[in-house]
Amino acid sequence: MNEHEPKYKNMTKTEIAGVMVSIMSLAGMVGPTTWARIALGKKKLPPYEGQTTGDIDVTDVWDTIDLNDRDEVKKYLHECGRLRHPVSNTHTVAQEDFMVEMKNKSVSFPKGTIIYIPMQLASIDESVYGDTTFAFNHKRKNLCPFSTIFHSVGESTNGRICPGRHVAENMMIDVMIALGRARREK
């Protein structure tokens, strides 16, 4: 890598290293730690109002999946993340002044306002997942293509996606396979 190249945003090697350490720290610790706690059954699924999601024990499913099938393990992880996002929100910054209706009143916000985006809500959208939205089904159609756990919709993005996605996802698959095998040997 040559420093000060436009394709690297004119950054120095030190600046790129700093960015990479931040990415690896987030991808390797914060999100995956929460995701692991969900997938290992240590962090329960939310008790969505009027639903039995909070009663689901994800380890009952984990104990039955084929640990030699990385895709099945990936889908198990994505279903755990769909029902309880490891990182539940993202944000954007308004590029211009805007107005919204709140409680039947127009409220104005200036350019530069930070806008919170609750990604979790997209994962429990009944218009996408239908009658089984609040059921655990890691074999559901289009699970990974519709996944929003990496702040995108599957592989589609509007400029916002977790930069450590593939690192985190592959690491979690490896960890769940290893722990699953150890769990079954008991």
Side-chain angles (χ1 to χ4, degrees), residues 4-161:
H4 306 293
E5 287 188 30
K7 71 179 179 180
Y8 300 118
K9 306 291 186 197
N10 298 316
M11 289 192 278
T12 66
K13 288 180 183 179
T14 302
E15 290 169 328
I16 290 176
V19 169
M20 289 308 301
V21 167
S22 297
I23 290 169
M24 288 184 271
S25 150
L26 288 171
M29 294 178 69
V30 179
T33 299
T34 305
W35 200 13
R37 289 181 49 73
I38 297 163
L40 294 169
K42 302 297 182 192
K43 190 172 186 95
K44 301 296 268 172
L45 297 177
Y48 296 108
E49 187 175 335
Q51 305 296 331
T52 59
T53 312
D55 298 331
I56 296 170
D57 182 350
V58 296
T59 62
D60 289 343
V61 177
W62 182 33
D63 290 337
T64 67
I65 63 175
D66 180 357
L67 297 174
N68 293 313
D69 183 346
R70 289 183 67 82
D71 191 55
E72 185 173 6
V73 176
K74 175 182 171 179
K75 288 176 181 176
Y76 168 79
L77 285 164
H78 275 262
E79 184 68 350
C80 288
R82 184 186 74 77
L83 290 168
R84 183 173 197 143
H85 266 226
V87 180
S88 62
N89 62 67
T90 189
H91 75 281
T92 190
V93 178
Q95 300 301 303
E96 58 188 41
D97 295 349
F98 67 100
M99 188 172 13
V100 296
E101 288 288 319
M102 295 173 73
K103 296 184 179 183
N104 297 319
K105 288 173 54 178
S106 294
V107 181
S108 298
F109 295 91
K111 175 182 176 178
T113 298
I114 296 173
I115 304 168
Y116 171 83
I117 304 167
M119 299 297 290
Q120 176 67 53
L121 296 179
S123 293
I124 54 169
D125 183 343
E126 292 180 273
S127 71
V128 174
Y129 296 103
D131 294 342
T132 63
T133 296
F134 296 96
F136 192 100
N137 177 6
H138 71 287
K139 295 181 180 181
R140 70 176 63 248
K141 185 179 177 185
N142 293 320
L143 174 61
C144 294
F146 290 167
S147 176
T148 59
I149 63 174
F150 291 104
H151 296 189
S152 60
V153 177
E155 296 290 335
S156 300
T157 180
N158 190 23
R160 187 76 182 222
I161 192 167

Side-chain angles (χ1 to χ4, degrees), residues 23-24 26-28 32 150 161-171:
I23 290 169
M24 288 184 271
L26 288 171
F150 291 104
I161 192 167
C162 172
R165 173 191 182 159
H166 297 292
V167 172
E169 191 173 65
N170 284 309
M171 177 182 63

